[in-house]
Every structure is written in structure tokens, then in C-alpha cells.
Amino acid sequence: MSAKIKLVVIGNGPVGHNFLEYLVESGNSCQYQVTVFGEEPLPAYDRVHLTAWFKNQDVADINMVSEDFYPKNNFILHTGDKVINIDRTKKLVTSASGMKVHYDKIILATGSFPFVPPVHGHQRDNIFVYRTIEDLEKITAAAKTAKIGTVIGGGLLGLEAAKALMDLGLKTHVVEFAPRLMAVQVDDGGGAMLRKKIQDLGVSVHTQKNTQNISDGDTAVHKMSFADGEILETDIIVFSAGIRPRDELARQAELSMGERGGVIINNNCLTSNQDIYAIGEVALWNNKIFGLIAPGNAMAHAAVDHLTGTGTSEFTGADMSTKLKLMGVDVASIGDAHGNTPNSRSYTYVNDREEVYKKIVVSEDDKYLLGAVLIGDAAEYGSLLQFMLNKMELPSEPEGLILPRVDGSSSGIGIDALPDSAVLCSCMNVSKADVVETVQAGACDMAAIKSCTKAATGCGGCTALVTQVLNNELEKQGVEVNTDLCQHFSYTRQDLYNLVRIEKIKSFDELLEKHGSQSGTGLGCDICKPTAASILASCWNDHVLDEKLHSLQDTNDYYLGNMQKDGTYSIVPRIPGGEITPDGLIVLGEVAKKYNLYTKITGGQRVDLFGARSEQLPAIWRILVDAGFETGHAYGKSLRTVKSCVGSTWCRYGVQDSMGMSILLENRYKGLRSPHKLKMAVSGCTRECAEAQSKDVGIIATENGWNMYVGGNGGMKPRHGDLFAVDLSDVELIQYIDRFFMFYIRTADRLQRTSVWMDNMEGGLEYLKTVIIDDKLGLVNELEQEMSAVVGTYQCEWKTTIEDPIKMKRFEHFVNSKRHDDNVIFTTERQQIRPVLTAEKNTETITQ
Amino acid sequence: MTTNMTNKQWVAICNIDDILPNMGRCALFNNKQVAIFRVLDSAGGESFYAIDNYCPFSHANTLSRGITGNIDGKTVISSPLYKQHFDLLTGICLEDKNVKVNTYPVRLDGHAVLMSEATINVS
Ligand code: SRM
Ligand SMILES: Cc1cc2nc3c(=O)[nH]c(=O)nc-3n(C[C@H](O)[C@H](O)[C@H](O)COP(=O)(O)OP(=O)(O)OC[C@H]3O[C@@H](n4cnc5c(N)ncnc54)[C@H](O)[C@@H]3O)c2cc1C
Ligand code: SF4
Ligand code: FES
């Protein structure tokens, strides 16, 4: 191929971006010279999760584009530059900044804009829409001086905007023209239940209100006057009255348009011009605009396939079923929710106590599902949707699908009955076959499914169903459902934890004897021994070198130091919060000098001394312990550090004493053994200098207390922590951390960090909150007691060890000689020691 | 399996209590670093094993510091640095059958742990 095809993508929203992702996946991107224009100042972000921006007011949380995506693929991206003209004769695109780019093909992905009805006064200040990050920034700024906020429009987006206003601390109203909320997706009964639930949350709902005028208010900024003569005073107004396609460019380029707007496309997403495709919310297919992300992505796929000629997918319409959580309320709508199909039947279940409403619409002969509405509990969404999409025959009494089960069995669908082609995740277009294949290729948990197929990473509505398929497939393979810890125990780590706790088992031998799978012959191994050691420590907290425990420990725990590549150890004294006195530093310096140790500052705000031979460890620790240092547990699957910034004591921005809090927390949780290591950090204000959001538990000071984040991780697969609770007092904070850690210790897998544990938790963050904050399982007292037992039995492992002459003996390298390991050889680099490379060694000494 | 052993000179290395149950210790024997293991089975029996202390994967003298156990019926030690398993009876690595460490005769005489001058070749 000689010259590259010049491709111009106009619009860098989610669909425009996904088009580029698919182009790269197709393997053809190098044949194109790609230029992208986006009107917004930022590269594509996930508009579906726009509201998540409020959490940290950080675009990183909803960013869709990895940093190197554009450069790596040689795509040129112009942000903050709108295309204003398409010249079809010269095949030239012109942008607002004056840039001119020739094209062979255009992808029009300009999306849509919020419709603002021409109500008198709609141009006043403090009136907003809800579509872009800039909109949210403006709303946030205005909310600082406002008390009341009103959303015009009670549809899906309107309710989401209402939630945002509520979270900003405003008294919130929703004004809707129709007689019920979410009129498009929900029937009367469902709308009534939804209204009740939303009002319970403190939002005032006004239906059948036609806003006619907005003028100066008497008690607030605006006065809204309705057609029925009533008025409402409010400081902020957010319009959410529907969307309109951004088709102005298409109009200018004289492409065929729909009567009420939208660029007409065919099944290949081609417009009336053979060189211009349109995808996403700007496109009109079969006289319909699709205001959801899944159809937009399907169009992007079809366009890539047609453009590159590598695939055959076409866009042939999309199912508009939705499931979402609005203000914590589950709402789902499937297919013909209103029962408009002639002769259809419906079944309804209403529970006023639990505030649940469920309706299914079925065909005349009861055989097929046509639609459904679920409010308050949408657990059946996934299986109902599959019944409808795959035209699967319903069970004989279809009402059973939405009635509560008395026997506790799960509802609905036989996974095996689902055809392979069934799309489980419509957001990411993942079929049952895709999930099954991924499992067959070795994936065995939801975290793996998510990263390999992207299923359940969009709206999340399909999580339960994808999990079912995953488990079903694992079960079929027979092998992988094997959750046995190892050959010696046919139990999971969680099972063993419970056995140890409940039967008060104190040693590995006892555990092996009572519950081991190879009765009589098993010795254990390097999997179950350290696991048992960790569980026994979490439960009873005896010294790791206790007679019945020491042989279970990994070498790092056994020598209370991290073994390095040459067999020497590192020494990491605890420096809580990173605070250390000059005298403390001098002692570390002196020890390092005396024993000729390599010294460095760690990534965990403390000092690591490397290159100590095992027989030197006791003497070194004698000096450190005498100087008041304790072990830093750098070797254990246990609490590492609680990093901290300097906080309000010194920093001009600090709002709380982060230093004091981090020292308190480090001293509280030091020595706590857990399924994997635990890291924490405390920042004194929202600038977050301690990087708390990358920790298992992160704490950020607020004017009113502490915000607590959980499940953060640096390392191999970074994950930002989830905001778990806000404005906690010191006491609440410690209570929640106690419960969180103990619940993790109880339920996590071996070597599973809190981040992966969170990713695999059914029900996710919300479930965790109900356990830890609302005490749904009636566990919190127990968890707190367990933690206080661990805190109360803390001992510095090194201090105890050097006071016991028997324990000290084991550190000698040879059992029968005072010599030391002559294979430990150092050379000097940058004025300190380092191990010699194998090539630098005399081979004779190595094997000797 | 053929065992071929010459020259049965037994040398006392240490006292039994110097090696804790289910643990290893490194001993200097014939100027070589040897890892001696004392493994209890649940029937109360006790076996001693001796292999090279030098780990062919990490090139460091570390095998005595691994965790003892059994896998598929073989009594093994796992390397502390990179976790490969070695069969204590044959010295063969479970993960890579081509890698083998030397094994040495070792026995208990009263409270004394003894090793022999000869190396055994098990094939
Ligand atoms: C010394 C230090 C590097 C340094 O020189 O700065 C270090 C050194 C080691 N890290 Fe680390 N990590 C060190 C900070 C970190 C950090 C930064 C932090 O804690 O703020 C991270 C990312 C944060 C996190 O954990 O989420 C980090 C992520 C890891 C990981 C990946 C964990 C993950 O979940 O992906 C491992 C591997 C593991 O644990 O399985 C690891 C493992 C290790 C081990 C234990 C590898 C090993 O098994 O030998 C290293 C031991 C060195 C030693 O002998 O002391 N280290 N390591 C840092 C010690 C901090 C301290 O004072 O305790
Ligand atoms: C708050 C909110 C919640 C939502 N929730 C859901 C949900 O739960 N599920 C769901 O499926 N969908 C949801 N949606 C809808 C979803 O976000 C849209 O379907 C999706 O964003 C459409 O993507 P798009 O790329 O077609 O258009 P857009 O996202 O509108 O992107 C188009 C981009 O093109 C730019 N542009 C326009 N004209 C030009 C030009 N001339 N030159 C250069 N650039 C231009 C625009 O500035 C914009 O950045 C939600 C939307 C919002 C606002
Ligand atoms: S990043 Fe890797 S090499 Fe560096 S200290 Fe951490 S574990 Fe060791
Ligand atoms: S359906 Fe939305 S994430 Fe799967």
C-alpha cells in the first residue's frame, strides 16, 4: 500500500473513541493517517459515568484514554478544537482554530446536546445542563452559595442530575411534565413506586408541571412559574429535558437528514455520502436516535468493519432495555414495558413494605417475554432480558419469575438454556460464548473475566449474569471449581479461617490432623503452611517463632527480614508515619556503618538496610531495639506502613493532623497478619500528598473529619480506592477500619490484596457498606472484638526474639562452624556495597 | 534405583536438637555447604535428609532455609527465593527434571547427626 488513507474523526466522545479502539483491534490502523478533532478540552471520557466525577472531582476517574494511546498508534488528536466546515468537493475539513485537513473518509461522531425548551428566562445565570465535565464544574461552583436546586425533567438523566444536586447539599426538586417519572421506560405502577422511593430520600417530586416562566425569586435566585399557576423558588436550575443530535455539520455538508434531525445512516453506518460515516447519538437509523452507549459502540464496530473491509458486522438496531441505580434505587426497564403489544398479558408483583414493584409483559399464549419493569429490586434483570432477547420459552407459570422465592433458590434462567450467541453484556458486546471461551482459556474469577473480555465494566447491569455463566462453566470443567488450598486441604482459605476460629485450633498439626485430606501421610507444603501460619496469627496472635509455629513460616518471617537475591537479609525498622528524630537517624546511620550495610530510603517512607548475613541480624536488632526501634514487618503479609504527609501542623493547607493520625493507626495495626500485605496512608487535605487513594485503606482529611477510601493498590495493577465513608470522627474512622480489616481477613483468598478482593466481591462497594456500616450480617461487634484482641496482644517480634537465647541460635549460618557464607561477596558502587554479579564471582567459591 | 556408595566414614555434624523439627540447617561438611533436614511424619517417625545448600536457580546458598513438605507423595523442600521444589530423596527438581542437586547420606546415632564422606549417586 502506497499512501495512507486520510481518516478524520470528528468528535472525541465515548463512541468516537471506541471507534478508534476497534480500529486498532482490527489490526488495520497503520493503513490510515488518523486525525481526531474534539470540541471539548479533554480527550474522551466516559460520559455514562459522568456523575462519578463528583467523587474526587478528578477526570482521571472517568478518563477512557490511556496516556500513550494516541502517540503509540500515531493518531493525531486536536482537543478544544471544533470542526466548523466540511468541504465535500475539496475533501477538506476546517476547524475553529483555522486548521485545514484533507480527508478520504470522515467519521462523524458529534453526539448530541441537551435540549433546553425555550421557556421564558432560560438564559438567566445559574441555569445549567448536565452533559460535560465543564457543566459539572459550573454546577459545583454555583452550589457553593446555593440552598435549593431544581431539575427540569424527571427522566433517567434528570434523576441522575437530581442525585448530584442532593449530594452537593442542596434541597432538591424534580419537575416533570408527564404524570410520572421516567415516563419512557416505566409504567404507571412502577413510576408511582419510584416516586415514593425517591421522595423518601428527601427529593421533592412535582409531576404534571409545565414550566412557563423563570424570573427573579423573592426568597431564592429564581422563581419558576407553572401553567397551573403554582410557583417554585430555587437557586439553581438544571435542564434535563431530552437530547438532540448535534447535526449542524452534517446539515452544512448537505447530508441526508431526518425530519426531526439526525444524520441518516444505513446498516454500515454510511451517510448519504459514500465517504462519510456517522455513529453514536448523532446518527439516525430506521428513523431512530439511540441515546445509549451500547448501540453507539455497535455502530462503531459496524463502521470499522465496513471501512476496513475486515469484518461483516452491521448495525441493525438495538435493544433499549436499561438497568440502573438511581439514588441507590434499582430501576430496570425491558422491551415493551408498557404492554403496548396487542393482546399481551401482564403480571405484577407489588410489595409496599419493601417498596418493590415488578411487572412482566408476556405474549398472549404465556410463552414469550415481551417486556418488564422492575423497581426497588432488579435482581432478575439479567435473566429476564435473556428470555426476551433470545426468544426463549418461558416456564409454565411465568409469574414465578418475579415472585419472591420461599426456598431461597435463585430466580429464573437455566444458564445452559442460553444460546452461545446470547449477548450477556450489551455495553461491551460480550456474548455467552466469549465468556465461556475465556474461562476455557484459564480465567477463573470475575476479575479475570473483566480484564479479558471487558464484560461488566460498563453499566455493571450484567454482573450477576456474567458471574452465573462463569461459575456454571467452571463447574462444568470440574477442575477449576477446585478451590482447594492445596493437596493437603480440600478447603478454601476462608473455610480454614472459620475452622481455626470456631474450633479454636492453635497449631498446624492440629489443623492437619482434624481437617487434612491425606490423613496420616500429609506433611503440608509451602502453600498451606504459611497460610495456616497467617490465619493462626490473625486469630490468636502468638509469636511467629513460637515452637509450634516457626516451621510454618516463609523464610522471611522465619528470619524476620526479607531474603535478598544473594541470601542476605534486609532490615526495615518501623518508622510510624515516616516521622523520625535526628537521634533515630543517627542510630540507623551508626548501625549501617558498623555492619557495612547498603542504605536507602524506601518507597514507604522509611529506611532499608541491606546486605546483613543471617548471623548478624540479632546483634543489629539488639542495637536497634535498645534505641527504641521496633520491627517494621517488611517481611510479613501484614501491615506495612501508614504513609503520611506533614499535615496541619506545618502545612498551610492542612485541615487535620494527618501525622498524628497516621502514627496512631500504624501503632494500632502494626503486627496484624492478613491474607496479603496491608498498606495505609493519611493525607492532611484533598491535595493528597500521601497518595492515600492508592492504599488498601486511605484516609483524607476534610474540614469535618476524615474521608475513608478502601481497596486502593499500587503495584502491578494500580487501582484507586473507593470512597467508603465521609467526614468520619476519629472514633468512627477506627471503628470502620477495624471492621474492614477483620472482614477482609475473614473472607479474602490467600495472597489476595484488598483491591482484587473488592473487584471480586458480589455486590461490591455497596454490599461492603451494608456489612460494615449498616451491620447487615450482625457481625460488627465480633469483628471489633477480634481486632481488639490482636491489638492487645502485640509484641515486637524482634524484641522477643533477641531476649530468647534458644531462638537466637538458629541465625548462625552453619550449625557446626562459626564461619560465614563465603558466597556472599560484595563490591562497591556509589560509595556503598552491592552484591557482585555471578560473572564477577570466582566460580570455585560458588559451588563450595 | 541403584545406590552406589563407597567409603563409609561417618562424621558427627551436630546434635539432634540443633535442628528443629521440620526444619533445615546448613552444615559445613568437607568444606561444602550442605543442607540437612529433619522431617517428622505424623506417625511420629523422623527422617533426616541432606542435599546441597547451593540453589541452582538463585545461585545462592539458601536451600536449608526453605519450607519442608510433601507433594505427590515425595518429601520436598521449596526454595526460599523462587519456590522451586526439590525431592529430598533424589535431589531432583519437581519443576524441571533436568535440574538436580547432590544428595548425601545422613543418619542419627543416639543424639548425634552423622554424615558420610561419600556422596551417593541415585539413578
Ligand atoms: C524496599 C521497597 C522498595 C524501595 O526500595 O523503596 C520494596 C521492596 C520490595 N517489595 Fe515493594 N517495596 C517497597 C514499596 C512498595 C510500594 C510503595 C508503597 O508501599 O508505598 C509498592 C506499591 C504499593 C502497593 O503495594 O500497592 C510496592 C509493591 C510491591 C509489590 C506489588 C504488590 C501488588 O499488589 O501488585 C510486591 C510483590 C508482592 O507483594 O507480591 C512487592 C514486593 C517487594 C519485595 C518484598 C520483593 C521480595 O519479595 O523480595 C521487596 C523487598 C525488599 C526488601 O528486602 O526490603 N512490592 N512496594 C519498598 C519498601 C517500603 C517499606 O518501607 O516497607
Ligand atoms: C449524565 C449521563 C448519564 C448517562 N448514563 C447512561 C447510561 O447509564 N447508559 C447508557 O447507555 N448511556 C448513558 N448516557 C448516554 C451516553 O453517555 C451517550 O450515549 C454517549 O455519550 C454517546 O456518545 P457519543 O460519542 O455519540 O456522543 P457524545 O458523548 O456527545 O460525544 C460527542 C463529542 O463530540 C464533540 N463534538 C460535537 N461536535 C463537534 C465538532 N463539530 N467538532 C469537534 N467535536 C465535536 C462533543 O463536544 C462531544 O465531546 C448518559 C449520558 C449522560 C450525560
Ligand atoms: S519494584 Fe521490584 S525490584 Fe524494585 S523493590 Fe519493588 S519488587 Fe524489588
Ligand atoms: S451490560 Fe453494561 S456492563 Fe455489561
Side-chain angles (χ1 to χ4, degrees):
Chain A
M1 162 150 292
S2 51
K4 290 190 175 190
I5 302 165
K6 293 189 274 299
L7 179 68
V8 176
V9 180
I10 307 177
N12 193 226
V15 174
H17 177 73
N18 282 330
F19 168 86
L20 295 169
E21 296 264 2
Y22 300 148
L23 183 65
V24 172
E25 277 168 30
S26 80
N28 292 293
S29 60
C30 47
Q31 294 170 19
Y32 295 87
Q33 181 187 320
V34 179
T35 312
V36 185
F37 285 96
E39 179 188 14
E40 293 186 65
L42 293 164
Y45 54 86
D46 183 2
R47 203 174 311 286
V48 172
H49 293 112
L50 184 65
T51 304
W53 174 86
F54 282 111
K55 184 172 129 186
N56 300 309
Q57 306 206 354
D58 184 356
V59 280
D61 291 349
I62 55 173
N63 176 36
M64 294 179 77
V65 188
S66 63
E67 211 176 305
D68 59 349
F69 179 79
Y70 286 93
K72 193 174 72 198
N73 293 298
N74 287 320
F75 296 164
I76 298 168
L77 171 65
H78 302 289
T79 51
D81 199 3
K82 178 175 161 183
V83 172
I84 52 167
N85 188 274
I86 299 175
D87 184 335
R88 280 168 52 181
T89 17
K90 293 197 191 128
K91 295 199 111 179
L92 191 69
V93 156
T94 309
S95 78
S97 73
M99 189 133 16
K100 291 188 189 309
V101 179
H102 283 282
Y103 71 84
D104 296 313
K105 301 281 175 188
I106 285 182
I107 305 291
L108 200 59
T110 49
S112 58
F113 66 92
F115 170 64
V116 176
V119 176
H120 185 80
H122 73 268
Q123 279 157 327
R124 294 162 53 86
D125 283 348
N126 266 19
I127 298 187
F128 308 101
V129 293
Y130 197 85
R131 177 105 197 152
T132 65
I133 290 181
E134 284 166 304
D135 294 333
L136 303 202
E137 283 169 349
K138 286 187 211 152
I139 293 172
T140 309
K144 292 215 167 90
T145 53
K147 291 201 174 62
I148 309 171
T150 301
V151 177
I152 301 186
L156 196 153
L157 293 185
L159 293 180
E160 191 153 332
K163 156 106 168 85
L165 295 186
M166 208 172 71
D167 288 347
L168 288 168
L170 304 185
K171 167 77 195 104
T172 305
H173 298 268
V174 172
V175 173
E176 167 60 49
F177 179 67
R180 61 170 182 275
L181 296 172
M182 288 187 67
V184 183
Q185 296 93 346
V186 168
D187 64 341
D188 281 333
M193 187 64 83
L194 181 60
R195 175 182 190 143
K196 195 155 158 232
K197 293 187 80 96
I198 284 178
Q199 283 181 330
D200 286 350
L201 294 167
V203 175
S204 308
V205 178
H206 315 266
T207 48
Q208 280 179 297
K209 286 275 178 284
N210 179 2
T211 313
Q212 290 200 313
N213 187 38
I214 306 171
S215 54
D216 281 339
D218 301 323
T219 57
V221 178
H222 311 288
K223 180 197 290 180
M224 300 169 61
S225 312
F226 305 119
D228 61 6
E230 288 191 23
I231 57 157
L232 177 67
E233 300 238 334
T234 183
D235 298 315
I236 289 179
I237 295 174
V238 178
F239 272 102
S240 179
I243 53 168
R244 297 289 182 270
R246 289 201 56 180
D247 51 15
E248 63 268 19
L249 257 186
R251 205 174 289 279
Q252 172 269 315
E254 295 179 342
L255 302 175
S256 298
M257 311 280 291
E259 243 168 64
R260 284 181 294 155
V263 189
I264 295 175
I265 57 168
N266 66 13
N267 290 6
N268 299 124
C269 299
L270 265 184
T271 64
S272 52
N273 180 295
Q274 289 307 298
D275 296 322
I276 305 181
Y277 296 81
I279 54 177
E281 286 189 347
V282 71
L284 186 75
W285 180 89
N286 203 11
N287 225 5
K288 273 190 271 202
I289 293 281
F290 295 85
L292 291 175
I293 188 71
N297 289 345
M299 290 181 202
H301 253 301
V304 168
D305 281 358
H306 188 258
L307 175 73
T308 61
T310 44
T312 55
S313 80
E314 296 193 351
F315 183 74
T316 51
D319 175 60
M320 298 297 277
S321 302
T322 30
K323 174 187 163 195
L324 50 152
K325 222 185 185 72
L326 289 168
M327 312 196 189
V329 180
D330 278 328
V331 179
S333 159
I334 294 177
D336 181 8
H338 301 283
N340 290 335
T341 313
N343 300 327
S344 59
R345 288 186 179 171
S346 68
Y347 298 91
T348 310
Y349 167 74
V350 185
N351 179 332
D352 274 330
R353 177 171 37 88
E354 312 245 318
E355 300 195 336
V356 169
Y357 175 92
K358 299 181 181 182
K359 182 178 87 170
I360 50 174
V361 179
V362 303
S363 58
E364 193 176 1
D365 55 4
D366 266 352
K367 280 219 168 106
Y368 301 104
L369 188 78
L370 304 173
V373 176
L374 306 168
I375 307 284
D377 171 9
E380 295 89 359
Y381 174 77
S383 44
L384 290 178
L385 184 64
Q386 296 301 329
F387 271 115
M388 185 192 74
L389 292 179
N390 301 300
K391 303 207 172 48
M392 292 162 66
E393 211 166 298
L394 292 169
S396 52
E397 284 162 6
E399 62 272 28
L401 292 173
I402 49 168
L403 291 178
R405 323 236 121 201
V406 257
D407 58 358
S409 67
S410 73
S411 81
I413 199 165
I415 291 296
D416 283 326
L418 268 184
D420 280 349
S421 59
V423 172
L424 304 181
C425 172
S426 51
C427 289
M428 299 298 151
N429 192 22
V430 182
S431 67
K432 180 182 169 195
D434 295 333
V435 173
V436 168
E437 267 168 37
T438 312
V439 176
Q440 284 167 351
C444 50
D445 58 17
M446 267 310 271
I449 296 285
K450 281 184 187 173
S451 77
C452 299
T453 66
K454 299 218 170 79
T457 58
C459 70
C462 60
T463 313
L465 192 66
V466 176
T467 313
Q468 271 181 339
V469 171
L470 162 71
N471 291 342
N472 187 56
E473 191 54 31
L474 286 175
E475 236 157 72
K476 266 197 223 153
Q477 295 188 354
V479 239
E480 295 310 323
V481 216
N482 184 349
T483 50
D484 295 2
L485 186 66
C486 64
Q487 294 181 0
H488 306 94
F489 291 97
S490 310
Y491 293 99
T492 61
R493 179 195 169 276
Q494 297 88 317
D495 294 336
L496 288 183
Y497 179 91
N498 291 330
L499 290 170
V500 166
R501 202 34 104 189
I502 292 159
E503 298 179 12
K504 303 209 163 29
I505 293 175
K506 297 283 168 64
S507 74
F508 181 71
D509 290 345
E510 194 183 338
L511 187 65
L512 194 64
E513 193 183 305
K514 287 193 173 153
H515 302 290
S517 41
Q518 302 169 329
S519 56
T521 60
L523 300 174
C525 65
D526 58 324
I527 306 284
C528 57
K529 282 181 170 182
T531 305
S534 163
I535 293 173
L536 291 165
S538 299
C539 289
W540 320 122
N541 211 21
D542 291 325
H543 195 282
V544 288
L545 300 186
D546 186 283
E547 208 184 319
K548 56 189 188 304
L549 300 176
H550 65 239
S551 71
L552 312 177
Q553 311 295 345
D554 247 317
T555 191
N556 285 2
D557 282 291
Y558 187 80
Y559 285 90
L560 303 169
N562 294 55
M563 185 188 266
Q564 305 299 312
K565 58 200 267 190
D566 61 351
T568 63
Y569 290 88
S570 70
I571 293 160
V572 188
R574 192 166 289 291
I575 301 180
E579 185 180 275
I580 184 164
T581 61
D583 285 335
L585 278 173
I586 288 169
V587 171
L588 295 183
E590 282 171 352
V591 170
K593 207 161 181 177
K594 176 161 178 202
Y595 289 90
N596 192 23
L597 304 172
Y598 169 77
T599 308
K600 101 174 267 292
I601 309 287
T602 71
Q605 299 190 333
R606 45 192 188 173
V607 181
D608 204 343
L609 313 175
F610 293 83
R613 297 188 310 271
S614 62
E615 70 271 15
Q616 296 177 313
L617 290 172
I620 293 173
W621 274 102
R622 163 58 67 201
I623 300 171
L624 293 173
V625 166
D626 286 347
F629 283 103
E630 295 185 318
T631 180
H633 292 98
Y635 45 80
K637 300 291 175 243
S638 54
L639 180 83
R640 295 287 166 86
T641 65
V642 184
K643 277 164 86 162
S644 180
C645 70
V646 66
S648 59
T649 319
W650 290 91
C651 174
R652 62 189 163 144
Y653 294 122
V655 291
Q656 303 286 346
D657 176 14
S658 53
M659 262 330 296
M661 180 52 80
S662 75
I663 293 171
L664 188 146
L665 293 174
E666 186 154 344
N667 283 325
R668 181 169 180 82
Y669 301 113
K670 65 188 175 190
L672 172 67
R673 287 227 161 29
S674 47
H676 207 313
K677 59 192 175 189
L678 292 170
K679 298 181 176 186
M680 303 176 69
V682 187
S683 281
C685 83
T686 158
R687 287 166 192 75
E688 246 283 69
C689 299
E691 300 170 310
Q693 289 166 93
S694 68
K695 299 290 176 243
D696 298 277
V697 173
I699 295 140
I700 302 179
T702 68
E703 299 277 354
N704 308 315
W706 309 97
N707 284 357
M708 173 175 167
Y709 292 78
V710 298
N713 206 155
M716 293 169 245
K717 199 159 168 290
R719 179 186 195 275
H720 274 150
D722 296 314
L723 180 58
F724 180 77
V726 297
D727 290 338
L728 299 175
S729 67
D730 292 8
V731 174
E732 287 169 325
L733 177 67
I734 289 168
Q735 237 173 6
Y736 286 179
I737 302 175
D738 279 6
R739 297 173 188 174
F740 174 78
F741 276 159
M742 272 301 167
F743 188 57
Y744 162 66
I745 288 172
R746 228 177 228 234
T747 57
D749 274 335
R750 164 182 171 268
L751 298 185
Q752 186 178 46
R753 290 286 295 263
T754 57
S755 55
V756 181
W757 174 70
M758 288 285 301
D759 278 343
N760 277 309
M761 190 180 302
E762 240 175 85
L765 183 66
E766 294 305 317
Y767 172 73
L768 189 69
K769 285 184 189 169
T770 61
V771 174
I772 287 176
I773 302 177
D774 310 332
D775 198 12
K776 178 178 168 177
L777 304 181
L779 263 186
V780 304
N781 287 337
E782 229 172 273
L783 296 175
E784 283 176 29
Q785 276 162 19
E786 288 166 8
M787 181 61 87
S788 88
V790 171
V791 173
T793 49
Y794 169 80
Q795 53 184 315
C796 168
E797 285 159 359
W798 263 113
K799 185 161 191 280
T800 313
T801 302
I802 53 180
E803 275 158 12
D804 180 346
I806 307 218
K807 290 197 170 77
M808 296 272 277
K809 268 172 63 178
R810 71 188 71 197
F811 290 96
E812 287 297 334
H813 186 75
F814 292 107
V815 67
N816 57 349
S817 163
K818 290 274 166 237
R819 283 169 54 183
H820 58 77
D821 184 357
D822 59 3
N823 189 29
V824 170
I825 311 164
F826 301 120
T827 178
T828 306
E829 188 172 271
R830 295 186 296 275
Q831 294 125 56
Q832 297 207 64
I833 58 158
R834 73 157 166 82
V836 294
L837 305 173
T838 319
E840 293 167 326
K841 275 183 196 168
N842 167 354
T843 30
E844 275 301 290
T845 41
I846 294 178
T847 42
Q848 297 286 299
Chain B
M1 182 180 354
T2 57
T3 308
N4 128 29
M5 216 193 286
T6 49
N7 192 357
K8 296 205 174 148
Q9 280 289 350
W10 292 95
V11 179
I13 300 290
C14 63
N15 193 287
I16 179 168
D17 296 333
D18 292 332
I19 308 179
L20 297 167
N22 294 320
M23 298 295 294
R25 269 319 279 279
C26 169
L28 193 60
F29 178 66
N30 263 354
N31 249 341
K32 267 204 169 79
Q33 294 201 21
V34 176
I36 307 180
F37 297 92
R38 172 184 178 189
V39 183
L40 301 185
D41 58 47
S42 35
E46 194 166 54
S47 310
F48 284 80
Y49 303 89
I51 62 172
D52 286 335
N53 192 34
Y54 182 78
C55 167
F57 294 100
S58 58
H59 306 292
N61 291 314
T62 51
L63 290 185
S64 65
R65 292 175 266 175
I67 295 180
T68 59
N70 64 340
I71 288 187
D72 301 335
K74 300 186 173 85
T75 304
V76 298
I77 177 74
S78 80
S79 146
L81 277 170
Y82 301 119
K83 314 296 175 195
Q84 296 89 353
H85 299 89
F86 294 90
D87 184 340
L88 286 177
L89 209 56
T90 62
I92 294 173
C93 172
L94 265 47
E95 283 77 14
D96 181 351
K97 303 267 181 299
N98 297 321
V99 178
K100 176 179 176 299
V101 295
N102 294 313
T103 53
Y104 305 88
V106 54
R107 70 179 171 91
L108 196 62
D109 181 9
H111 287 287
V113 178
L114 306 180
M115 282 187 67
S116 157
E117 294 275 348
T119 57
I120 349 171
N121 292 308
V122 185
S123 52

